[in-house]
Amino acid sequence: MNANQCIKIAVYSLDLPHYACADLRIVTPFRKLREHLDFRWAVQDCNGQSRIDAEPAEWADLIVVQRYFPLKETSPLLEIILASGKPVVFEIDDLLLDVPPTHPLFHNFQKTAPFIRQLIPKVDVVTVSTDALRDRLLEFNPNTLTLPNFIDEAAVTPAIPLADPMKTVIAYMGSPTHDQDLKFIEDALFRVKEKFGEATEFIFWGCAGTRLAKLGRVIPFDDSYASFLKSLGKIHFDIGLAPLADNAFNRCKSNIKWLEYSAHARTGIFSDLEPYRESVEHGKTGMLVGDDPKEWFEALEYLISNPDQRKAMGRAARKDAFARFGLSKGVHRYLELYKGLLKR
């Protein structure tokens, strides 16, 4: 194809384009590259049912298949796509081959796992969000590459000023699938409330069990990632929480919570696991803690009692996040990958 010609990409994903994974991994980066590529979302939602269109695959120069699209029902279309001779990229940002039974969507992912396992060796490239996930998938396809999540600087609005400087607002943000991750820090959060009382406020955004719902304000989950980012800039919080239960699935997750909190210059407390170890410099751009509730209490106690250090961490985290993971600095990696595939 001509070097100046737009690359045409068909995307086959059962995620709606406004969902977080679709937005972060495909829609926003592709829109940033609109001068270089054109894309069509090949799956439409029709009253809760997915309508899959084969035509974009014929139109495209390159095809991206995302996450749990591989299923028994989609296998015939995938065989046609693989036989087309066009480059095929499988994009995945979770270890869907090893989902813990405690995950609310375990049974759904069990249906897609064998078909993902069949597809991965057949595609030209597998793109993943973390090195840990890459290492788990390399045995299935040696052309597995890490394409990290990037935060869109243009989508981040300045956080609103604090209404009550004597109150520390502690927030958790996540989808409703994270109940198990929150459970092991519940006691720590209640200890914080017991010690600091009205000087603290809790916000649970998108996920809160029955017990935690009594502790603070619950904001319903918003499945639009762009809408979530806009709201994030309008709601004040001082400390962000990112607990993760220690299992293979979570160890392959990305640093997205650090990126979201840091982009708004807010200090976070993060589980000391792979998703955050390579991003967070403990005590400088956030805090890393183990799975002992006592460690979470002590980290919260420190940040509540030392607001100047907390704010300095938030500012340093924002600078670091944009420097290493700003979309404007990393989006070229998508274009380089796709151009390279089309030259083969």
Side-chain angles (χ1 to χ4, degrees):
M1 63 182 294
N2 188 296
N4 297 319
Q5 186 178 345
C6 270
I7 301 171
K8 295 180 292 185
I9 302 177
V11 180
Y12 285 86
S13 173
L14 295 178
D15 274 359
L16 296 178
H18 64 266
Y19 286 3
C21 294
D23 189 316
L24 266 169
R25 304 289 299 164
I26 297 177
V27 175
T28 294
F30 283 16
R31 285 177 177 165
K32 186 70 83 172
L33 294 168
R34 63 174 62 90
E35 293 182 3
H36 304 280
L37 59 83
D38 186 14
F39 72 101
R40 293 183 185 177
W41 209 263
V43 183
Q44 305 300 321
D45 178 60
C46 298
N47 299 318
Q49 298 294 317
S50 297
R51 184 175 65 81
I52 301 171
D53 187 357
E55 191 278 331
E58 299 175 11
W59 162 84
D61 302 308
L62 181 149
I63 298 158
V64 174
V65 178
Q66 191 192 29
R67 285 170 59 81
Y68 49 88
F69 184 82
L71 290 165
K72 180 180 179 181
E73 295 81 359
T74 60
S75 291
L77 175 59
L78 286 172
E79 288 302 321
I80 293 171
I81 287 172
L82 291 167
S84 69
K86 298 177 180 181
V88 180
V89 176
F90 181 54
E91 157 59 31
I92 185 168
D93 63 344
D94 274 318
L95 184 58
L96 299 183
L97 302 182
D98 192 3
V99 179
T102 54
H103 194 287
L105 299 177
F106 172 75
H107 294 292
N108 298 61
F109 291 142
Q110 285 292 96
K111 295 176 183 177
T112 189
F115 297 96
I116 290 175
R117 192 173 280 107
Q118 290 173 20
L119 177 66
I120 288 177
K122 299 177 181 179
V123 300
D124 295 274
V125 169
V126 179
T127 55
V128 299
S129 52
T130 70
D131 289 344
L133 182 54
R134 178 201 62 198
D135 293 345
R136 289 295 300 266
L137 299 184
L138 276 172
E139 65 175 293
F140 303 104
N141 189 322
N143 293 320
T144 299
L145 309 174
T146 303
L147 198 57
N149 288 329
F150 297 107
I151 194 79
D152 184 7
E153 302 96 329
V156 177
T157 55
I160 63 171
L162 178 58
D164 182 356
M166 301 305 293
K167 180 172 287 189
T168 303
V169 181
I170 302 160
Y172 174 80
M173 300 164 192
S175 72
T177 62
H178 287 279
D179 267 356
Q180 293 298 314
D181 296 324
L182 271 172
K183 275 187 177 178
F184 75 87
I185 68 166
E186 282 185 359
D187 289 344
L189 302 187
F190 276 93
R191 280 188 66 192
V192 166
K193 192 63 177 177
E194 183 179 352
K195 176 170 182 175
F196 293 96
E198 294 302 312
T200 57
E201 178 184 340
F202 288 88
I203 297 174
F204 300 100
W205 196 337
C207 184
T210 304
R211 188 179 177 210
L212 287 179
K214 300 174 183 177
L215 187 62
R217 179 157 59 115
V218 178
I219 300 175
F221 176 67
D222 186 346
D223 66 10
S224 167
Y225 191 66
S227 174
F228 163 73
L229 285 181
K230 285 182 181 178
S231 298
L232 191 56
K234 297 176 182 177
I235 295 179
H236 174 79
F237 67 102
D238 299 287
I239 302 169
L241 304 175
L244 284 176
D246 188 2
N247 55 55
F249 180 77
N250 280 344
R251 287 195 292 272
C252 290
K253 280 191 165 291
S254 78
N255 63 350
I256 188 59
K257 286 291 158 239
W258 179 73
L259 290 177
E260 291 165 353
Y261 296 155
S262 299
H264 291 84
R266 294 300 182 256
T267 299
I269 304 175
F270 306 90
S271 283
D272 188 9
L273 295 175
E274 283 83 346
Y276 301 115
R277 282 176 184 160
E278 294 184 5
S279 301
V280 180
E281 187 174 357
H282 180 68
K284 293 187 177 180
T285 60
M287 300 192 75
L288 294 168
V289 295
D291 57 7
D292 186 341
K294 181 182 176 183
E295 292 185 43
W296 284 83
F297 171 77
E298 291 173 349
L300 280 163
E301 183 181 43
Y302 174 80
L303 291 178
I304 293 168
S305 303
N306 296 276
D308 290 341
Q309 290 91 327
R310 182 183 73 224
K311 292 172 185 176
M313 276 190 222
R315 291 191 296 270
R318 178 184 171 93
K319 182 178 179 181
D320 188 32
F322 283 155
R324 289 195 288 152
F325 298 98
L327 182 63
S328 64
K329 296 178 176 64
V331 73
H332 65 91
R333 294 172 62 174
Y334 283 82
L335 191 59
E336 291 168 0
L337 170 63
Y338 298 151
K339 282 184 174 180
L341 285 172
L342 290 169
K343 286 179 181 177
R344 290 183 182 180

